[in-house]
Amino acid sequence: QKEVEQNSGPLSVPEGAIASLNCTYSDRGSQSFFWYRQYSGKSPELIMFIYSNGDKEDGRFTAQLNKASQYVSLLIRDSQPSDSATYLCAVNAGNNRKLIWGLGTSLAVNP
Amino acid sequence: DGGITQSPKYLFRKEGQNVTLSCEQNLNHDAMYWYRQDPGQGLRLIYYSQIVNDFQKGDIAEGYSVSREKKESFPLTVTSAQKNPTAFYLCASTGVSSTDTQYFGPGTRLTVL
C-alpha cells in the first residue's frame, strides 16, 4: 500500500516566522511531488510541484525534496495570517496519473 | 477564462434518491478525477478517467457511477446504494502537458436529509 504521511498539526507559528511542513512517502519510484493549500470549505489549490532532489523556490515558498530519505518539505518564509490553512502533500502513483494524498497539516499563523 | 466548474455548489438529497454532480472543464485536459473529502479527512479517489469513454474505479467507488461521453465533462452520480453520501465532492483534471498536476473545481457539498 503506497502511503503519504503528514503530521496533522495544528502547527502554530507567529506572524513573520518560518513555517516548516513535512511529508514522507513510501514508494521509492515516485517522481512527482506536490504541495496544495486548502482553506476551510474551499477546494485545494496548487502551491508548488517539485521533481528533482534539492530546493525549489517560488516567492515565500520553498519546496525541498530528498528522494534518498523519501521526504518532501515545504517552507513558508515570513508567514502571514492569510497562510493559515491546511497544506496537502501529494505524490504521483506511477504511470497511471493518479496522486496519493496525505491527510494534510493544519497551519495557524498568529498575528 | 480556463477552468473547472462544478455545480451545484450545495446539494441536498433525501435518502433513497440518486443525484448527479456536474463537472466541466475547458482546459483541454484529458484526465479527470472525482474525490470525496470528509471533515478532517484527506482526499479519497472515487473514479477517474484518462480518455473519453473510459474510466476506472478509485478506492471508494461503491455507490457511485460516472460517465465520460465528452472530453469536457465528467458527471458523478451518487446512487441510493451509497450509505453515507454526505461529504464535500471535488472534481479535478490534468493534461498531458501538466505532468500529473491536478487542478480542482470549487467543489459540491452534498448533504443527505
Side-chain angles (χ1 to χ4, degrees), chain B residues 41-98:
Chain B
Q41 299 294 312
L43 302 177
R44 292 188 289 169
L45 183 64
I46 305 173
Y47 270 98
Y48 66 106
S49 168
Q50 299 197 49
I51 57 173
V52 175
N53 293 322
D54 188 45
F55 47 83
Q56 289 78 40
K57 292 182 179 180
D59 301 317
I60 56 165
E62 185 176 351
Y64 299 97
S65 66
V66 293
S67 63
R68 187 85 187 278
E69 298 177 359
K70 299 187 299 181
K71 188 176 184 179
E72 301 81 14
S73 178
F74 191 39
L76 173 73
T77 297
V78 184
T79 75
S80 57
Q82 171 49 238
K83 298 306 179 187
N84 186 22
T86 294
F88 189 39
Y89 289 87
L90 291 159
C91 179
S93 69
T94 186
V96 173
S97 62
S98 301

Side-chain angles (χ1 to χ4, degrees), chain A residues 28-44:
Chain A
R28 284 195 171 274
S30 296
Q31 298 291 322
S32 310
F33 308 85
F34 305 85
W35 282 102
Y36 287 78
R37 176 176 62 198
Q38 186 176 26
Y39 292 113
S40 181
K42 302 296 186 182
S43 60

Side-chain angles (χ1 to χ4, degrees), chain A residues 21-32:
Chain A
L21 306 163
N22 298 312
C23 171
T24 60
Y25 60 95
S26 63
D27 184 9
R28 284 195 171 274
S30 296
Q31 298 291 322
S32 310

Side-chain angles (χ1 to χ4, degrees), chain A residues 1 32 34 36 38 40-46 49 51 88 92-99 101-104, chain B residues 9 30-31 33 35 37 41-43 45 48 50 88 90 94-96 98-106 109:
Chain A
Q1 181 79 0
S32 310
F34 305 85
Y36 287 78
Q38 186 176 26
S40 181
K42 302 296 186 182
S43 60
E45 54 181 335
L46 179 72
F49 57 84
Y51 305 129
L88 301 173
N92 81 314
N95 294 327
N96 58 12
R97 303 177 75 192
K98 290 181 356 181
L99 296 181
W101 295 84
L103 296 182
Chain B
K9 186 174 181 179
D30 53 331
Y33 309 80
Y35 292 95
Q37 188 175 39
Q41 299 294 312
L43 302 177
L45 183 64
Y48 66 106
Q50 299 197 49
F88 189 39
L90 291 159
T94 186
V96 173
S98 301
T99 54
D100 291 341
T101 302
Q102 293 185 10
Y103 298 93
F104 286 84
R109 192 165 299 278

Side-chain angles (χ1 to χ4, degrees), chain B residues 12-29:
Chain B
F12 298 91
R13 189 194 92 171
K14 294 181 180 179
E15 286 192 18
Q17 284 184 335
N18 292 354
V19 291
T20 297
L21 283 57
S22 169
C23 177
E24 304 275 337
Q25 54 95 3
N26 61 4
L27 300 168
N28 199 32
H29 284 173

Side-chain angles (χ1 to χ4, degrees), chain A residues 52-104:
Chain A
S52 303
N53 271 333
D55 296 358
K56 180 181 179 182
E57 186 174 319
D58 184 1
R60 294 187 297 112
F61 299 97
T62 299
Q64 300 175 318
L65 174 61
N66 184 323
K67 289 187 177 181
S69 300
Q70 294 177 246
Y71 82 78
V72 56
S73 62
L74 180 70
L75 300 179
I76 306 174
R77 291 181 300 281
D78 188 24
S79 295
Q80 302 296 309
S82 59
D83 294 325
S84 298
T86 296
Y87 289 80
L88 301 173
C89 173
V91 175
N92 81 314
N95 294 327
N96 58 12
R97 303 177 75 192
K98 290 181 356 181
L99 296 181
I100 304 170
W101 295 84
L103 296 182

